[in-house]
Amino acid sequence: MVAAILYGILGALALAAIVAVAIAIRARLCAGRVVVRHSRATLNSIQNLDVSSASVDEASHAGAEPRVGGPPTPAGGSTDHLSSRFLALGALAATVFGALATRLFGMQVVSSEGYRRQANENKYIDVATPAPRGYIFDADGVALVKNRSSLTVVADAEVADDRDVLMRLSAVLGVPYSVVRARLADTSSGAQSQRVVDADVSLRNVAFITEHSDAFPGVTVQNRTIRSYPYGALAAHVLGYTGSVSADDLKEKPQNSQIELGDDVGKSGVEYVYDRVLAGEHGKRRVMADANGRVVRVVSETQPLRGSDLHLTLRASVQYTVDRTLADLIAPDGVIGTGTGVAGAVVVMDVRDGSIVAMGSYPTFAPETFTGGISQDVWDLYSSASSHHPLLNRATSGAYAAASTFKSFTGLAALRHGFADAGRTWTCTGSWDGFRSGDVQKCWLKSGHGTLNFEGGIIHSCDVVFYEIAYGFFFAGVSQGGRLSDTALQEEAIKYRFGQATGIDLPSEEKGRVPTPEWKAAYWADVPTEGVWRGGDLTNMVIGQGDVLVTPLQVAVAYGGIATGRLMKPHLLKEVRNGRNAAAVTFQPEVLAEPDVSDEHLSLVRRALNGVAPASPALSKAFREQGLDPTTIACKTGTAEMVETEDYAWFACYAPFDEPRYVVSVLVEEGGGGAATAGPIGAKVMAAALAADEGEPGKVGRVEGSTGESVRYVGARAGRTD
C-alpha cells in the first residue's frame, strides 16, 4: 500500500514538471517565429512600395485601409492552432515518460530486493538424486535382495529438443528413436532432472559416448544402483518388488516422507510395507538454469545415503525347500498342468514367537522382471487366468474352504458345549440323514468308519461324527427353541482368528469367512428365501465346507494356538539395522490371544492330532522318508470338495509334539487328497525347519519364476481320500 502511494506521488510530480517545461519551451519558440515573420513582411513592403495619390485618395474616400505588399496576416490565426497541437503532443509524451520513470524507480529502488531474490531462486534449482535402497537379509544374514551397479545413460532436459543427438543415441544404444524421444520428454522426475535414456549399458557403448562427448552435448553416463536378487524368485511374494513412484504414491505418502518423482518405491511385499525403512536419503544436485529452464552448470552436489537394511525372520534354506518343492510338484518341467495341482501355498511359522520361517506361493514371479518397469505383454500374461496369477500371494491373499483342518476347532466347540466328550461314541455307516430330509450327506469314506469316539473322529476325519455335532448345535440354538446362541459353533473358531486378519506385516491380507445367520441373510438380501439359515449350513460348516473360507496363514496361526495355547501374531521383521550395522529396531513378539479353552479339552484335541500320522500309511511313510518319527508329529489332513475341478488338498502339522517349535500349513489347488498330496510336502518342509533350528546348513539355490505357460490340467478325480 505504501509503495503504491509512493508510486502515485512520484508519477504526478514527474508529469507536472515535464508538462510545465514543455509549455514554457514551446511558448518561447512560437513568439520568436512571429517576430521574425513580421519583420520580413515589412521589409518587402517598403522595397516594393508603388502607391499613386489617386489610389490613396480613392481609398481614403471609400474608408478603406491602404494595402501594402499583399494580404495581411490575421492576428493569432495559424500560430495559436499549432501551439495547441504541440501542447497536446507534449502532454502525451510527458505522460508516457512519467509512467516509465515511475515504473523504473519502483523496479530499481523500491522492489529491487524482491526482484533480486526471485532472480536468485530462478537461477539456482535443487534437484534430488535417488538414494540406494537398503538390503534385505534372512535371519542368518543371507542377502536376499541387494543392489548392483548399472551403467546408466542420462541426459539433460534440453536434449529432448535436439533431434541430431536423439538420432545418435538411438543408433549407439540400439533403442528406437521414438523410445529415446519419449524417455527424454518424460517430465515425471521433474523439469530440470536428468532423464534416464537407457540402463545396463555395455562398456563399449559407454566408451563411445564418452570419447565422442562433443557429439552428445548434455548426455552423461552415471553408475547407478538397481535392485538385485541373487536367488531369483526365492521368497518373491514375501520380498515383493519395486517400481517408479506414481501420482497416487505421492498423494498417499506419509508425512515427512522424502518420496519424489523419479524414485523407486516398494510396490508389494516387505518392499512396500517397509519402504520408509529401506529408502535412503536423497542426494542434492544444485544446478544453474537459464531463463528457459536449461541447465547451464552443476553448482554443487551431495551424495545420497543408502537406506537401512532389513533383516527378516525367513531362513533361506527352508524357503528354498518350500519354493523348490512346490515348483517340482506343480510344474516339474516349468509348465503348469504337467504335474500335480495347478497352484499352491506353504507357511512355516515358529510357534514360540510368531516368526515366519518360510512362506511360499506358486506360481511365482521373478522380482527382476519389474526392474526398470514391466512390459505390458508380461503384465497381461501375469494377470491372465491361464497363467494362474503368479502375482497372487496365496498364503495370505488366497481364501479357500478349510475342509477337515477345521474339525479341530469345531471339535473344541463340541467339547465346550457338551456335544462331545472323551467317552462318547458315534457310528458311521458312510452316509447320514439326521434331518430326515432325504438329502443324504456322505462321509468321505463311503463304506463307513464304524463306531468311533471323539479322538477317532479326528484321527480318521469322520464326517458323520461331525454331522452329529452340528445337528446338536442347530437344535440347541435359540432360533429352534433352544437356549444356546445360534453362533455358538462359530464362536469357537473365531477365537482362533478365523474370519479376521492376523495382522502380518504384508499387504492385502484376506480375512476369510466364518458364516453366520446374519452373514447369510445379508449376502442373500436380494433373494430372502435363500438367506434363511438351515441345519445344512451347520453340517457343511462343521467340516470346513460350505461358505467357510480361510487362508493358509490363518490355518498356521490357529494350529500354533492349539500347540501352545497362545495365538502369536505372525511377523516377518526380525530387526532393522542402520548404516553402522547396529540394530535400530528389533521386533518384539506379540500375543494375539489366549483362547479360553480348558486344558482338558485342549489336551484331548492334541492327542487326537498326534494320532493322525501313525494311523495314515501315506503320512507315516512321508515323515519317515524325511527322518522324522510320525509319533512326534501332530497333524491334520483335509480335502476340500470342489464341483467343477479336482479337490483341493490341505495339510497342517506342528512338531515336536511334546515341545512344539514349528507349525506348517500346506494347500495345493486341485491337488486331490490331503494325505496323498499336501502331506508329503508338509513332511519335507517340517524336516527342513527342524534341521535349520539345529544349525544344520541347508541348500540355498536360485528359484526360477513362472513362465506363465500352462496346459489343461486333468487330475485323478479320485474324490476325497483324507
Side-chain angles (χ1 to χ4, degrees):
M1 185 67 183
V2 176
I5 296 174
L6 182 60
Y7 289 164
I9 295 173
L10 292 175
L13 293 175
L15 178 61
I18 293 174
V19 170
V21 171
I23 292 175
I25 294 174
R26 184 59 194 153
R28 289 187 178 183
L29 290 176
C30 289
R33 288 173 184 167
V34 170
V35 171
V36 171
R37 286 176 183 171
H38 283 195
S39 299
R40 289 178 179 174
T42 304
L43 181 61
N44 290 336
S45 299
I46 294 173
Q47 290 177 347
N48 298 316
L49 184 63
D50 184 14
V51 181
S52 62
S53 57
S55 297
V56 172
D57 291 340
E58 291 176 359
S60 299
H61 290 298
E65 294 181 0
R67 298 176 62 187
V68 181
T73 301
S78 61
T79 300
D80 290 342
H81 179 67
L82 288 175
S83 296
S84 64
R85 291 178 61 187
F86 277 112
L87 182 61
L89 289 175
L92 177 61
T95 301
V96 173
F97 284 107
L100 291 175
T102 302
R103 184 60 179 160
L104 183 61
F105 179 81
M107 294 175 63
Q108 293 288 340
V109 179
V110 178
S111 302
S112 60
E113 184 59 31
Y115 285 116
R116 185 180 298 109
R117 183 172 58 255
Q118 293 180 25
N120 288 334
E121 291 175 354
N122 292 332
K123 185 177 181 181
Y124 298 103
I125 300 171
D126 291 331
V127 180
T129 54
R133 294 175 70 82
Y135 286 12
I136 302 178
F137 297 90
D138 83 337
D140 301 315
V142 177
L144 303 177
V145 183
K146 303 167 67 175
N147 297 323
R148 65 177 176 85
S149 297
S150 172
L151 291 173
T152 305
V153 175
V154 297
D156 294 334
E158 61 269 18
V159 177
D161 300 325
D162 194 328
R163 186 175 184 279
D164 292 338
V165 175
L166 298 184
M167 292 291 289
R168 295 186 195 112
L169 285 172
S170 174
V172 172
L173 299 175
V175 179
Y177 172 81
S178 59
V179 175
V180 174
R181 184 178 58 183
R183 289 174 179 174
L184 283 171
D186 182 11
T187 60
S188 61
S189 60
Q192 276 73 40
S193 295
Q194 293 177 307
R195 277 52 157 175
V196 174
V197 182
D198 199 14
D200 285 338
V201 180
S202 67
L203 287 172
R204 177 182 178 182
N205 291 341
V206 167
F208 184 88
I209 293 174
T210 303
E211 293 173 2
H212 301 83
S213 57
D214 292 344
F216 298 94
V219 178
T220 56
V221 178
Q222 296 179 356
N223 194 2
R224 293 192 173 186
T225 60
I226 59 176
R227 275 319 212 189
S228 172
Y229 304 87
Y231 301 105
L234 184 76
H237 291 94
V238 170
L239 301 175
Y241 61 89
T242 60
S244 297
V245 66
S246 65
D248 291 338
D249 294 327
L250 292 178
K251 290 179 182 178
E252 298 173 1
K253 73 175 183 177
Q255 292 183 347
N256 301 323
S257 174
Q258 288 191 343
I259 297 176
E260 296 186 10
L261 287 171
D263 289 348
D264 276 347
V265 295
K267 295 292 186 177
S268 70
V270 295
E271 289 271 24
Y272 171 80
V273 174
Y274 295 108
D275 184 72
R276 293 188 67 183
V277 172
L278 294 166
E281 295 183 15
H282 289 87
K284 183 179 290 186
R285 187 168 176 260
R286 169 157 281 202
V287 299
M288 179 183 291
D290 60 16
N292 295 320
R294 295 186 177 89
V295 176
V296 177
R297 67 184 180 90
V298 178
V299 178
S300 63
E301 187 169 7
T302 57
Q303 296 301 313
L305 297 177
R306 200 184 88 182
S308 297
D309 294 332
L310 202 64
H311 289 251
L312 303 180
T313 59
L314 298 179
R315 306 292 286 269
S317 60
V318 183
Q319 183 68 47
Y320 179 72
T321 300
V322 168
D323 288 339
R324 188 70 267 160
T325 303
L326 282 173
D328 289 344
L329 175 74
I330 298 168
D333 61 355
V335 179
I336 297 173
T338 59
T340 301
V342 297
V346 175
V347 175
V348 185
M349 188 183 78
D350 189 327
V351 299
R352 296 164 292 187
D353 62 4
S355 299
I356 298 298
V357 178
M359 178 181 287
S361 179
Y362 193 87
T364 187
F365 65 95
E368 288 178 345
T369 306
F370 293 86
T371 300
I374 188 172
S375 68
Q376 188 63 46
D377 291 342
V378 175
W379 181 261
D380 291 341
L381 174 64
Y382 280 177
S383 303
S384 67
S386 61
S387 70
H388 295 276
H389 306 287
L391 299 180
L392 174 65
N393 183 359
R394 287 169 164 82
T396 60
S397 302
Y400 308 92
S404 294
T405 61
F406 210 55
K407 290 174 180 175
S408 298
F409 309 98
T410 54
L412 284 171
L415 293 172
R416 169 182 287 275
H417 294 287
F419 297 108
D421 55 51
R424 185 171 178 177
T425 61
W426 298 265
T427 299
C428 171
T429 62
S431 61
W432 183 84
D433 186 16
F435 294 113
R436 306 294 189 268
S437 64
D439 185 11
V440 178
Q441 292 179 269
K442 298 290 186 179
C443 180
W444 73 267
L445 185 62
K446 294 180 176 57
S447 61
H449 288 99
T451 301
L452 299 168
N453 61 10
F454 180 78
E455 285 189 45
I458 288 183
I459 290 172
H460 299 288
S461 200
C462 178
D463 293 333
V464 170
V465 170
F466 284 86
Y467 292 153
E468 289 286 350
I469 290 172
Y471 179 89
F473 272 101
F474 182 71
F475 284 106
V478 293
S479 63
Q480 302 300 315
R483 297 181 178 181
L484 197 62
S485 166
D486 285 335
T487 59
L489 181 59
Q490 293 92 324
E491 288 166 8
E492 204 69 22
I494 292 172
K495 289 180 182 179
Y496 285 86
R497 303 294 292 189
F498 290 112
Q500 308 165 71
T502 66
I504 190 173
D505 41 350
L506 283 177
S508 306
E509 182 187 3
E510 271 287 338
K511 293 182 179 180
R513 180 171 65 221
V514 178
T516 63
E518 291 75 18
W519 169 84
K520 188 178 182 183
Y523 185 81
W524 291 101
D526 295 335
V527 189
T529 56
E530 293 294 329
V532 177
W533 188 257
R534 298 179 174 89
D537 293 309
L538 271 189
T539 54
N540 277 329
M541 189 196 73
V542 77
I543 63 170
Q545 294 281 165
D547 295 313
V548 174
L549 292 176
V550 301
T551 69
L553 177 62
Q554 287 176 326
V555 171
V557 171
Y559 270 88
I562 289 179
T564 65
R566 299 182 305 168
L567 291 170
M568 300 303 299
K569 181 178 181 179
H571 64 96
L572 286 155
L573 176 65
K574 180 183 178 184
E575 61 185 11
V576 175
R577 295 186 181 179
N578 56 28
R580 298 183 299 276
N581 200 32
V585 177
T586 301
F587 183 85
Q588 299 299 319
E590 181 180 342
V591 178
L592 288 175
E594 296 186 35
D596 178 21
V597 180
S598 74
D599 292 339
E600 179 186 354
H601 296 161
L602 202 54
S603 296
L604 183 56
V605 171
R606 288 170 180 167
R607 289 199 306 269
L609 295 175
N610 186 223
V612 172
S616 168
L619 292 178
S620 293
K621 178 184 177 182
F623 280 106
R624 287 195 178 99
E625 286 178 347
Q626 300 302 323
L628 298 177
D629 182 353
T631 64
T632 65
I633 309 296
C635 62
K636 186 70 190 77
T637 59
T639 304
E641 292 183 278
M642 309 300 290
V643 177
E644 298 180 355
T645 67
E646 184 74 18
D647 295 339
Y648 285 21
W650 273 103
F651 182 71
C653 68
Y654 63 85
F657 173 69
D658 293 330
E659 192 176 352
R661 282 183 274 171
Y662 298 108
V663 62
V664 175
S665 70
V666 181
L667 168 83
V668 181
E669 294 183 18
E670 300 191 45
T677 303
I681 295 177
K684 190 172 185 178
V685 170
M686 179 61 78
L690 291 172
D693 198 46
E694 296 294 335
E696 296 181 19
K699 181 180 178 182
V700 183
R702 184 176 179 84
V703 174
E704 298 301 326
S706 174
T707 63
E709 296 182 65
S710 67
V711 296
R712 185 173 178 271
Y713 176 69
V714 180
R717 302 286 177 178
R720 287 181 58 195
T721 59
D722 59 355

